[in-house]
Amino acid sequence: MSNWSDREFPDTICLFDVDGTLTPARGVITDHMKQTLIDLRKKCVVGFVGGSDFVKQKEQLGDNALDLFDFCFSENGLTAYREGKPLPGNSFLQFLGEDRYAKLVNFCLRYIADLELPQKRGTFIEFRRGMVNISPIGRNCTREERNEYEKFDLENKIREKFVAALEKEFPDYGLKYSIGGQISFDVFPIGWDKTYCLNHLKDEGFKTYHFFGDKTFKGGNDWEIYNHPVITGHAVNNPEETEAILKETFKL
């Protein structure tokens, strides 16, 4: 197991949200950002943490994502890699059980059916290993439709109201709801937000933890880790701000 002695600051780790932090929203990482991360790895340990599965994350970060980062945390760390090798995982379905999961899905489908939206597409519920992702418009929308829906959602609080309805319907399920990205929100067990990935880092000897994210507001999917007591949080609006903070902090 590496002790990170090749880094200038071996007891420091930088963790990054993916969407809107390392990449544009649902976009791909730039060569410039890749080089910034390569330079950063000479200074400290580097990892990413996101709610999407690893296949989707590779679409944004590239097929060499395992080589670009020391730690890769998909689905908030329920699927995890250290230096390219898998770490122990967990399962949302195992936590909730088939009966409760079916009731949750049925409620969501009925709720979406009754929503009046400018557009609806497909894949309203995406089942993942550590969570379900709910999208009122459907994840199959185009980039243009995604941008239009985001504006509509902000004006009409569609996702915010949806989450409130779920909290009222399933108060005893032990679930948390986190709005992230442009078109959807995540549903996962309490404690399985992005702070879950920190369980994989407890024995690494890190003394300083930096986290960069764009959804650090309350209810956003970066809120919990951004406010965790061991974390030094950096709120950004785009990858350019991420790079600027890194260059200033680590003299890249």
Side-chain angles (χ1 to χ4, degrees):
M1 183 176 284
S2 173
N3 61 3
W4 317 113
S5 59
D6 59 329
R7 315 299 162 94
E8 184 176 341
F9 307 107
D11 59 358
T12 296
I13 184 169
C14 281
L15 293 169
F16 300 90
D17 165 57
V18 178
D19 209 43
T21 301
L22 292 177
T23 76
R26 288 309 301 158
V28 298
I29 192 170
T30 64
D31 290 338
H32 197 268
M33 177 62 85
K34 284 185 178 181
Q35 187 58 53
T36 298
L37 293 173
I38 290 169
D39 294 340
L40 182 63
R41 288 182 76 189
K42 297 173 185 175
K43 299 282 187 175
C44 66
V45 182
V46 177
F48 70 80
V49 53
S52 295
D53 61 38
F54 190 54
V55 172
K56 286 190 174 62
Q57 289 169 335
K58 284 200 298 182
E59 291 174 0
Q60 294 184 264
L61 298 173
D63 290 333
N64 67 334
L66 287 178
D67 301 320
L68 197 59
F69 297 88
D70 301 300
F71 288 93
C72 301
F73 297 124
S74 304
E75 299 175 90
N76 293 344
L78 295 171
T79 299
Y81 299 88
R82 184 192 193 276
E83 296 186 298
K85 297 177 181 177
L87 297 172
N90 212 329
S91 162
F92 176 76
L93 188 59
Q94 185 177 346
F95 169 86
L96 201 58
E98 289 286 0
D99 290 343
R100 283 189 162 195
Y101 177 70
K103 290 175 182 176
L104 176 70
V105 169
N106 290 342
F107 179 88
C108 290
L109 290 173
R110 284 192 294 266
Y111 189 96
I112 291 170
D114 291 335
L115 281 175
E116 295 293 335
L117 303 177
Q119 299 145 331
K120 287 184 183 177
R121 294 300 179 254
T123 312
F124 301 102
I125 300 176
E126 183 174 81
F127 177 78
R128 300 175 183 173
R129 176 170 175 161
M131 66 179 72
V132 289
N133 179 266
I134 313 292
S135 175
I137 185 177
R139 296 190 64 87
N140 291 352
C141 60
T142 65
R143 181 181 292 275
E144 183 179 351
E145 291 164 347
R146 175 185 290 265
N147 293 337
E148 290 173 0
Y149 174 80
E150 182 180 30
K151 294 175 185 176
F152 183 85
D153 186 89
L154 288 171
E155 292 171 1
N156 296 278
K157 302 187 183 303
I158 301 298
R159 289 181 290 175
E160 189 177 317
K161 293 174 183 175
F162 200 159
V163 166
L166 285 164
E167 289 175 331
K168 182 179 179 181
E169 184 71 16
F170 303 106
D172 59 339
Y173 273 29
L175 297 176
K176 190 166 183 65
Y177 307 88
S178 185
I179 297 170
Q182 296 174 286
I183 62 168
S184 64
F185 61 91
D186 296 329
V187 184
F188 49 86
I190 291 171
W192 287 22
D193 50 59
K194 286 183 179 176
T195 62
Y196 187 90
C197 76
L198 300 177
N199 293 318
H200 295 293
L201 303 175
K202 288 185 293 188
D203 299 324
E204 294 288 344
F206 296 128
K207 295 179 181 177
T208 303
Y209 296 75
H210 291 275
F211 173 76
F212 296 75
D214 68 321
K215 295 291 189 298
T216 58
F217 53 85
K218 190 168 185 179
N221 62 4
D222 296 324
W223 166 261
E224 291 85 3
I225 191 168
Y226 178 77
N227 287 282
H228 192 280
V230 307
I231 293 290
T232 299
H234 305 274
V236 300
N237 293 304
N238 51 57
E240 290 74 24
E241 289 188 11
T242 302
E243 288 193 76
I245 296 171
L246 287 173
K247 287 176 181 178
E248 182 179 349
T249 304
F250 290 96
K251 309 295 186 253
L252 299 179

